[in-house]
Amino acid sequence: MNYRITHETVYRYADDVARCFNRAYLLPRHTDRQQCLDARVHVSPTPPSIDEYQDYFANRVTQFAIHQRHRELSITAESNVVMREPNLSASLDIGLTCAEVLSRLRSDRDAATLAAREFLLPSPMIRPRDEFGAYAAPCFAPDRPFLAACRDFSEKIFEEFRYDPGFTTVATPVRAVLEHRRGVCQDFAHLAIACLRALGYAARYVSGYLETLPPPGKEKLIGADATHAWFSVYSPGEGWTEFDPTNNKPAGLQHIVTAEGRDYSDVTPVSGVIFGGGDSHQLDVAVTVARTSGAPIETRRRS
């Protein structure tokens, strides 16, 4: 499956911004199931330069600074990606058991497992607590296939939590999400990671895009797609496997990865520092994930 992705972010400030320094995670990375053919970022006002580098987790980071006064900042990322469906249907119910994964995470010395151990540790937004482990533990009996247990745990979150965009912000603690049983995709990913780490498993945060399909007979709205988040778990010898608890499914052709990290703070789509701007600003975001055989992209802004 081939996709073209357009992600437009527009900031409007109450007063002049004298200068700003920005970092963005908007360009898809290369993974085992996707390849980014080309990508670019357009910024207005035009900065003297736009630099790209690879961060600690091998994500593609865009960095720029603007030194002229402005009251509006527009950042548009465009990319073309080829996706391959992961072959999971025959593997989730076989493979290492939960007990074997825990044992091998402690004992294996190969490079992949040693690197995965970093995702056992607390991170800025995720602090494993006993209640997280207690919530997830019934899914992870020692003799169960580990990936099947992860699938069932993802389904547990889907069934027991309510998707509620008005309940949380990016700063809402994970324990509040668990207590109130509601949140959005970022919260559900953080909750899953907190639970898995509390049980001793390696889990990381995945940020990206999700193609949404219109109802039968309806045209797809430009700008109606969204940034999305899900989680990935590590099994020694089997690698990383991604699950989307918001939609109760393993990540597939419609899940396009931009960045991977310990939690949201590692992969915030746009962050930075501004000097000036007044005491308020308006943020508009529009995302379009279009199959390249479809209509040409036309980006509209969506608040």
Side-chain angles (χ1 to χ4, degrees), residues 4-11 22-29 36-53 59-66 73-80 209 258 268-271:
R4 185 176 182 190
I5 303 147
T6 302
H7 181 161
E8 183 179 28
T9 304
V10 180
Y11 292 92
N22 300 275
R23 181 177 63 185
Y25 288 83
L26 298 172
L27 302 181
R29 60 180 287 159
C36 185
L37 301 180
D38 60 79
R40 63 193 63 84
V41 174
H42 307 277
V43 179
S44 179
T46 303
S49 65
I50 299 177
D51 301 314
E52 183 182 326
Y53 67 93
N59 300 309
R60 301 175 66 181
V61 186
T62 304
Q63 182 173 276
F64 61 90
I66 298 173
L73 172 64
S74 174
I75 307 166
T76 302
E78 298 178 305
S79 52
N80 289 287
Y209 302 108
T258 53
T268 306
V270 179
S271 61

Side-chain angles (χ1 to χ4, degrees), residues 19 23 39 114 117 129 139 143 193 219 254 263 280:
R19 60 188 182 276
R23 181 177 63 185
L114 291 175
R117 287 185 187 175
R129 300 165 63 95
C139 294
D143 59 348
I193 294 166
E219 290 189 5
Q254 294 169 291
D263 58 40
S280 64

Side-chain angles (χ1 to χ4, degrees), residues 57 118-128 174 189-190 193-194 197 203-205 261-266:
F57 298 109
E118 181 169 6
F119 297 95
L120 293 166
L121 303 175
S123 57
M125 300 183 74
I126 300 176
R127 302 286 175 176
V174 182
H190 277 168
I193 294 166
R197 290 180 186 169
R204 66 189 180 192
Y205 184 93
R262 297 167 299 169
D263 58 40
Y264 174 81
S265 67
D266 283 333

Side-chain angles (χ1 to χ4, degrees), residues 169-271:
T169 70
V170 294
T172 301
V174 182
R175 65 185 182 193
V177 177
L178 178 61
E179 178 184 354
H180 295 279
R181 298 291 204 271
R182 58 182 60 196
V184 294
C185 59
Q186 172 192 304
D187 302 308
F188 302 153
H190 277 168
L191 173 67
I193 294 166
C195 293
L196 287 159
R197 290 180 186 169
L199 293 175
Y201 301 109
R204 66 189 180 192
Y205 184 93
V206 185
S207 178
Y209 302 108
L210 178 66
E211 181 198 27
T212 56
L213 299 177
K218 300 291 185 180
E219 290 189 5
K220 182 171 182 174
L221 298 177
I222 300 300
D225 294 297
T227 56
H228 194 46
W230 55 99
F231 70 94
S232 182
V233 295
Y234 180 77
S235 176
E238 297 175 314
W240 292 92
T241 304
E242 304 164 42
F243 294 91
D244 178 359
T246 305
N247 294 289
N248 190 26
K249 62 194 303 184
L253 281 176
Q254 294 169 291
H255 292 77
I256 302 156
V257 178
T258 53
E260 300 165 343
R262 297 167 299 169
D263 58 40
Y264 174 81
S265 67
D266 283 333
V267 296
T268 306
V270 179
S271 61

